[in-house]
Amino acid sequence: RMMQRPMMGGQGPWLVRMFTKKENFEKLGISDKAKANKLLADLEKIKDEGNAIEKKVREISREQAELMRKFFADKAADSKEVMAKIDEVAKLRAEQARLSVKTILTLRENLTEEQMQNARNMMMERGQMRRSMRRGVGASEPGRRPMRGKGRRGASRNPAASE
C-alpha cells in the first residue's frame, strides 16, 4: 500500500529542499560567503523542522487509518479517537504551511531583488516541470485528462509504446 507524502503548506517541502541543494543554492548568486552560510543554516533548520513535522504526520496518519479500520468494522466504536487524530494532523499541516511562509520570508530577508528573481524563476521552472510530468500522454488535447496506467484490454494508451 502506498502512502501519500504529506505536503508542507502550499509550497510543499520541495521549496526548502530545492534551495538547500548545493547546485540550486549556487544559482542564487550569493557572493558574500558569510551571508550565504547564514542563509543555508537558516534553511537547513527549516528543513529539519519540516522533516520532523512530516514524520509526525505520517505516524499519526497511520494511527488514524488503523482507527478508521476499527471504526468501520465495529458499529459500536466511538468516533472521538478518529476525530482527535484528524485534529492532530490538521494542526501539523498548519505548522507545515507556516514553515513554507517562513522559507519565503527567510529568502526575502537574505536575498537581493535580483537573487529573489532567480529564486522565483527556479520555482516556476520546477513547477512547470512537475505539471508537465503529471499531465501524461494526451493531456495537452482540449478536454482530455491525464492518462495513467493501461487502457482497455491492457493495451497501452501511449502510441509510442505500441510500436
Side-chain angles (χ1 to χ4, degrees), residues 15-85:
L15 179 62
V16 74
R17 281 197 309 260
M18 183 169 90
F19 292 114
T20 53
K21 285 185 180 176
K22 186 177 181 178
E23 64 272 10
N24 290 334
F25 191 79
E26 289 173 354
K27 286 180 187 176
L28 293 175
I30 303 171
S31 55
D32 181 343
K33 293 295 179 196
K35 191 173 186 177
N37 289 337
K38 181 194 177 304
L39 176 58
L40 192 55
D42 290 348
L43 291 174
E44 286 289 348
K45 183 179 176 194
I46 293 169
K47 184 170 85 171
D48 291 344
E49 289 176 49
N51 288 341
I53 292 171
E54 200 170 322
K55 183 178 178 184
K56 287 180 191 174
V57 168
R58 281 194 305 266
E59 290 170 10
I60 294 169
S61 294
R62 280 193 285 274
E63 293 169 9
Q64 178 186 338
E66 185 58 36
L67 287 169
M68 283 297 293
R69 280 190 280 283
K70 290 177 185 176
F71 182 70
F72 192 71
D74 183 4
K75 221 175 187 177
D78 189 2
S79 65
K80 287 180 186 172
E81 283 184 282
V82 174
M83 296 300 189
K85 293 296 177 190

Side-chain angles (χ1 to χ4, degrees), residues 126-157:
R126 177 129 189 330
Q128 288 171 345
M129 184 178 67
R130 288 176 61 99
R131 281 189 295 282
S132 68
M133 288 171 53
R134 279 192 297 235
R135 280 193 192 112
V137 177
S140 61
E141 298 172 28
R144 300 279 308 263
R145 292 179 56 201
M147 295 181 200
R148 295 188 173 106
K150 304 269 182 181
R152 283 193 208 176
R153 297 182 196 102
S156 173
R157 291 183 182 183

